[in-house]
Each structure stands twice: as C-alpha cells, then as structure tokens.
Amino acid sequence: MNNKQLRDAAIEASKNAYSPYSKAQVGCALLTSDGSLFAGCNIENASYGGTICAERVAIMKAVSDKKMKLKKLYVYTKEGWPPCGLCRQVMSEFADSNLEVIIGDESGKETVMKFADLMPLSFTPDHLKI
Ligand code: ZN
C-alpha cells in the first residue's frame, strides 16, 4: 500500500468526522504490519474530555481486531496538524520500531518521519518489564 492510497483513505475518513464543536475534520489511515488498513476520524463529545482523535480511533479499531503492530500512519487535516501528545503516547504502545508517520495537508504537502523522531524518549511497554 503506497502513501497515496493511505492519503486517500485518510481524506475519506476525515469526511466522517463528528466535530460539531471545533468543526475540525481529521482523518487517519493506519497500515498494520500484516498489511491491514484501518481508518478513523475525530469524534467529539459535549463533555470535551470524551473526545477522541482520529489517530486513536484508527488505532483502537486495529487493536480491537488484534492487529497490534503499527507500520505506517497517515494523518490528514486541511491544515496539516500533527498528532497530539495523547495520540503519540497511544502510538508508542503499539508502534513498530520503524513506524512511519505521515502528516498531510490539503495542498498535498506531506511531512514524513519515523515515530522515534515524532516522539523521542517515549514511554513504552518496555519500561514496565521488570
Ligand atoms: Zn490526538
């Protein structure tokens, strides 16, 4: 699966955003190590704290299907927003060591990086192996 296919899936997912408060439309397409594709959008909540980002929706969909290793993640917003800190922490739980993160915007600009560059010194399950 190439980046264009992931981008298209992320854009498509962003159209399903439930964001009556921020009006932001975020889409995430996630490729797992076995080649499965999962997509998610942001889902807001009147409590605000109950809001969940597109990245976490996609990750939870994958994990609930027992697809635990994230290989490539594409996040799309018109503005090219990067994943928030909470999403980065959730990514660190399931990230393959070579997880590639792509941030795309409406103009087609893409920022491509390894997860380790997006979140250096992340707290991972390895820290709890005593
Ligand atoms: Zn987030």
Side-chain angles (χ1 to χ4, degrees):
M1 178 160 300
N2 64 38
N3 290 356
K4 170 77 169 78
Q5 291 168 305
L6 279 174
R7 175 181 171 80
D8 289 346
I11 290 172
E12 202 57 35
S14 74
K15 296 174 184 172
N16 294 334
Y18 175 76
S19 53
Y21 311 109
S22 75
K23 313 290 188 215
Q25 291 190 294
V26 187
C28 178
L30 172 62
L31 184 68
T32 55
S33 58
D34 72 339
S36 299
L37 174 68
F38 296 89
C41 61
N42 52 319
I43 303 172
E44 296 183 344
N45 186 275
S47 72
Y48 283 58
T51 294
I52 184 166
C53 303
E55 298 94 316
R56 281 180 285 139
V57 169
I59 292 168
M60 297 308 157
K61 286 171 76 174
V63 172
S64 67
D65 250 12
K66 297 271 186 208
K67 310 292 184 181
M68 306 287 191
K69 288 286 180 194
L70 313 184
K71 185 180 172 102
K72 201 181 270 196
L73 185 147
Y74 195 113
V75 59
Y76 170 83
T77 55
K78 287 180 182 176
E79 303 83 356
W81 292 341
C84 77
L86 184 53
C87 286
R88 293 177 197 204
Q89 181 58 45
V90 171
M91 283 179 211
S92 74
E93 186 78 16
F94 303 105
D96 180 293
S97 59
N98 293 312
L99 173 62
E100 186 175 292
V101 178
I102 306 154
I103 300 165
D105 73 9
E106 190 175 36
S107 73
K109 180 185 172 206
E110 292 179 341
T111 303
V112 182
M113 67 191 72
K114 294 290 184 196
F115 178 71
D117 295 321
L118 181 67
M119 190 167 174
L121 298 175
S122 62
F123 186 77
T124 70
D126 288 340
H127 291 101
L128 298 178
K129 290 179 181 166
I130 303 170

